[in-house]
Amino acid sequence: VTVELGERSYPIYIGEGLIEQAGEYFTKHEISKKSPLMIVTDENVASRHLSKLEVALQGAGFQVVSTIVKPGEKSKSLSVFEDLITKALEAGLDRKSTIVALGGGVVGDLAGYVAASYMRGIKFIQVPTTILAHDSSVGGKVAVNHPLAKNIIGAFHQPELVLYDLSTLQTLPLRDVKAGLSEVIKSGLIWDAEFVDWIDNNAERLLALDEEALGYALYMGCNIKAQVVSQDERENSLRMILNLGHTIGHALEAVAGYNELLHGEAISIGMIGSARLGVKLGGSEEIYTVTKRVLSRMGLPVGLPEHLDIDAIMEAMLHDKKFSEGTMVFVVPTAIGEVIIDHSVSTELVREIVEQLK
Ligand code: NAD
Ligand code: ZN
């Protein structure tokens, strides 16, 4: 997959055993062997996949230093960011150095923001190890969280390349597999009805981590995101379609607490809400039945956890930046594989939809 951005473009390589060949890929893309290169990863990924990457890069003559952070969203913080800047300085990283993110979206966002800021920006490479990271590694958004708001300190910083080694996914916990597939389903729902059909027919293979099925699903997911981002790098209009299910989803994450619902689980419920909205606004019933069937097959939640309070969810959505003067911006399906951006959905209608999710 190639991501085209004006004058620049970068490749996403997808396949098995790519980490073992990282030295060749990095050499081909003119990554410096004279300046130190820093790998950022988390403890869970380090114990399973770090030494393979270190060996491959050292073998090809790169000067490698590795930094391991604690797993989880808490590491996307300014204090961990500062620790990494300290490590980078101590290791002697210079303007020609590269930062490599080996891990999921947390490590990708964090290491990417370090790369965007260090010496006003150095090269960055993503080596994703989760399914969800097909989404986070394409598009160039990098960020850390503030205690009051998620992803609020960040930048746009595109990687030199993305090296997606499918073999790393074999060690991913099943819950993270399903949550990552939620974003793959989203890509189909906004862009490609045939792909939704394919997911529907291959859910079992995907859940069993069949590498051929995973490879195709991630190729499609990356490709759809790349096409959308290529046409709208800075989220002026088209890029908003990637937020299908996210308005409700983000509110659910905030209300349930980030530990109870994973991002992919929250947007699964959000996509059910959007599908209902699509039917309400004149779309065919199929939008709802197909959306629900595919998400259920993937073992994703399709209804609200009982204890969540509707008022709290509505309140959380009112804080969303997409809300203004009694109406909100919603990504609404008009058919499977097609969505529109509706700027005039009333808060009453949204409330009705959220209540039906119980
Ligand atoms: P994550 O990075 O926290 O990974 C999930 C869990 O799996 C972690 O515990 C991690 O240690 C573990 N793990 C990762 N790879 C593994 C492997 N191969 N084997 C075993 N365990 C492994 O989370 P995620 O779901 O990948 O990403 C979520 C983050 O991505 C959020 O912070 C979100 O804001 C961000 N995100 C960013 C974008 C973007 O455009 N930048 C888009 C979507 C999501
Ligand atoms: Zn998302």
Side-chain angles (χ1 to χ4, degrees):
V1 180
T2 306
V3 184
E4 304 276 354
L5 297 166
E7 306 279 280
R8 266 198 81 227
S9 72
Y10 64 88
I12 302 167
Y13 299 102
I14 303 172
E16 293 159 46
L18 297 188
I19 286 185
E20 279 83 354
Q21 301 161 45
E24 286 114 86
Y25 283 103
F26 285 26
T27 304
K28 182 173 153 201
H29 287 277
E30 295 171 0
I31 301 306
S32 173
K33 293 184 184 177
K34 296 199 193 100
S35 302
L37 167 158
M38 185 163 91
I39 302 173
V40 179
T41 188
D42 73 27
E43 288 165 1
N44 294 336
V45 181
S47 61
R48 296 167 171 93
H49 307 291
L50 177 59
S51 62
K52 272 184 292 184
L53 182 59
E54 286 175 337
V55 166
L57 292 177
Q58 281 158 354
F62 290 94
Q63 303 172 41
V64 183
V65 284
S66 298
T67 313
I68 301 169
V69 302
K70 295 230 168 302
E73 192 69 28
K74 281 215 174 83
S75 284
K76 266 175 65 173
S77 69
L78 276 180
S79 74
V80 177
F81 168 84
E82 189 179 353
D83 290 345
L84 292 178
I85 298 284
T86 306
K87 291 267 165 54
L89 285 166
E90 286 170 355
L93 266 68
D94 60 33
R95 286 193 177 78
K96 293 269 159 39
S97 285
T98 300
I99 289 182
V100 180
L102 172 68
V106 164
V107 162
D109 282 9
L110 169 69
Y113 188 55
V114 172
S117 319
Y118 188 74
M119 298 186 170
R120 296 201 183 81
I122 61 173
K123 286 184 176 175
F124 174 46
I125 294 175
Q126 296 252 25
V127 185
T129 65
T130 65
I131 293 176
L132 191 120
H134 82 278
D135 185 9
S136 57
S137 63
V138 182
K141 284 188 183 177
V142 294
V144 295
N145 303 326
H146 182 277
L148 296 179
K150 199 172 136 85
N151 292 335
I152 211 74
I153 307 155
F156 283 97
H157 194 60
Q158 307 292 344
E160 297 301 306
L161 68 147
V162 178
L163 203 60
Y164 215 141
D165 186 340
L166 300 172
S167 317
T168 62
L169 302 174
Q170 297 297 330
T171 59
L172 198 60
L174 183 60
R175 192 174 169 202
D176 289 295
V177 170
K178 293 176 181 170
L181 288 168
S182 184
E183 295 275 10
V184 174
I185 295 170
K186 178 202 75 183
S187 300
L189 291 173
I190 62 175
W191 201 258
D192 188 338
E194 257 178 57
F195 181 42
V196 174
D197 204 37
W198 181 89
I199 299 171
D200 202 8
N201 291 319
N202 289 277
E204 276 172 32
R205 285 174 74 206
L206 289 167
L207 289 172
L209 296 174
D210 174 286
E211 287 193 351
E212 193 195 332
L214 272 182
Y216 179 69
L218 292 174
Y219 162 78
M220 289 297 287
C222 289
N223 204 16
I224 290 168
K225 180 146 190 196
Q227 286 183 56
V228 172
V229 171
S230 300
Q231 289 173 49
D232 178 18
E233 187 180 354
R234 300 270 160 162
E235 189 159 334
N236 296 315
S237 54
L238 180 69
R239 195 165 173 163
M240 283 177 56
I241 69 173
L242 296 167
N243 291 329
L244 176 70
H246 282 59
T247 309
I248 294 174
H250 282 156
L252 296 181
E253 282 180 274
V255 173
Y258 291 95
N259 295 324
E260 184 184 337
L261 276 180
L262 294 178
H263 177 70
E265 294 167 347
I267 66 155
S268 173
I269 303 166
M271 287 190 282
I272 295 288
S274 313
R276 277 196 193 273
L277 194 57
V279 175
K280 265 246 151 62
L281 296 175
S284 87
E285 189 67 29
E286 195 200 21
I287 298 173
Y288 176 72
T289 52
V290 172
T291 301
K292 188 167 179 184
R293 185 176 69 228
V294 179
L295 292 168
S296 313
R297 276 210 177 140
M298 217 56 92
L300 284 158
V302 291
L304 281 185
E306 231 4 89
H307 66 93
L308 291 191
D309 179 51
I310 305 280
D311 289 328
I313 296 167
M314 290 307 294
E315 184 66 22
M317 266 191 276
L318 282 163
H319 288 305
D320 196 297
K321 46 192 180 297
K322 292 182 274 303
F323 236 122
S324 72
E325 294 170 355
T327 64
M328 58 191 306
V329 184
F330 241 94
V331 186
V332 183
T334 50
I336 293 297
E338 282 169 40
V339 292
I340 53 159
I341 313 280
D342 191 324
H343 291 260
S344 59
V345 180
S346 73
T347 51
E348 288 78 29
L349 180 54
V350 175
R351 189 181 183 99
E352 193 185 318
I353 295 290
V354 173
E355 278 168 354
Q356 286 176 354
L357 289 170
K358 273 270 182 188

